[in-house]
Amino acid sequence: MRIVTEFQIEHPWLRALDYDDLLQECLIHWHSKQGRFQEGRETSIKSYMARVLKNKLREIVRRELTDKRKTQHLAKSLESPIDEEGATLADVIPSDEAYDGITARLDIDLAMNKLTPLQKRICELLSEDYPEQEIANMLGRPRRSIRDEIVRIGRVFSRERLQEYLE
């Protein structure tokens, strides 16, 4: 039915549900509601059917969203085996140090995205251990302007609480 297809287009994650199952649920629901149609109250039986089916599909969407939220709250022990060899979640989850490195890299990337192209180039040259004067010469800018840009870079990193990475 067109209504089921439209709902699957509107809610792409509904495509994971079998089309025939959705259609069957809608038709069973329609069968239970068709006797309530009152001629003259609705424009046509077709519009009544469309409204009933859309309401059923909205109910299915609400149910599926509720089920998705439930699974997010299920806890699993770090010591429970995850494969036939006996490996546990604790064995495969990266250590805190690795996790900290990953999150630090993401945080730095976010801060770098807030910099101008000039500031990014200055950071690149500073990371390659070029002194301020040489950076100024390479970029054809006064040393004072490079120093001002470094201060601005510092402010961005400070706002992101990443000042330790500038040292």
Side-chain angles (χ1 to χ4, degrees):
M1 293 189 103
R2 183 177 47 85
I3 294 172
V4 174
T5 304
E6 288 172 0
F7 255 82
Q8 284 186 314
I9 290 169
E10 187 178 334
H11 305 284
W13 54 269
L14 265 182
R15 290 185 202 140
L17 302 177
D18 187 48
Y19 173 83
D20 291 332
D21 290 343
L22 282 175
L23 182 59
Q24 183 177 0
E25 268 194 74
C26 288
L27 291 175
I28 290 170
H29 184 69
W30 165 244
H31 181 71
S32 70
K33 299 291 182 182
Q34 71 183 359
R36 295 184 182 175
F37 174 71
Q38 296 174 356
E39 205 143 335
R41 187 163 183 234
E42 301 287 335
T43 50
S44 70
I45 189 130
K46 189 176 179 180
S47 66
Y48 176 71
M49 181 181 186
R51 188 169 50 107
V52 167
L53 295 182
K54 285 179 183 178
N55 286 340
K56 181 60 180 176
L57 287 165
R58 285 187 197 105
E59 177 189 317
I60 292 170
V61 167
R62 280 192 299 275
R63 182 185 68 213
E64 289 297 316
L65 287 173
T66 300
D67 288 347
K68 279 185 175 186
R69 283 192 293 271
K70 285 179 189 173
T71 60
Q72 291 173 352
H73 299 293
L74 297 176
K76 185 143 179 101
S77 168
L78 290 175
E79 299 305 321
S80 60
I82 57 171
D83 63 17
E84 55 277 342
E85 294 164 11
T88 66
L89 284 174
D91 296 332
V92 296
I93 293 176
S95 68
D96 287 345
E97 295 84 28
Y99 181 74
D100 289 344
I102 293 167
T103 57
R105 185 70 233 161
L106 291 172
D107 291 342
I108 291 168
D109 287 346
L110 288 172
M112 290 294 287
N113 286 335
K114 295 178 180 180
L115 300 178
T116 66
L118 174 63
Q119 292 169 340
K120 288 177 185 177
R121 181 71 176 131
I122 291 171
C123 284
E124 184 181 312
L125 293 171
L126 286 170
S127 74
E128 295 171 10
D129 293 326
Y130 285 102
E132 284 180 25
Q133 185 58 54
E134 204 168 328
I135 293 172
N137 293 340
M138 291 169 76
L139 299 177
R141 307 267 177 143
R143 183 176 181 187
R144 180 73 198 151
S145 119
I146 299 301
R147 197 172 287 145
D148 290 344
E149 291 300 327
I150 292 171
V151 168
R152 290 184 189 103
I153 293 167
R155 285 188 201 130
V156 169
F157 274 72
S158 290
R159 277 195 300 270
E160 300 297 318
R161 294 181 173 83
L162 297 169
Q163 53 271 27
E164 69 211 49
Y165 295 102
L166 292 178
E167 299 163 356

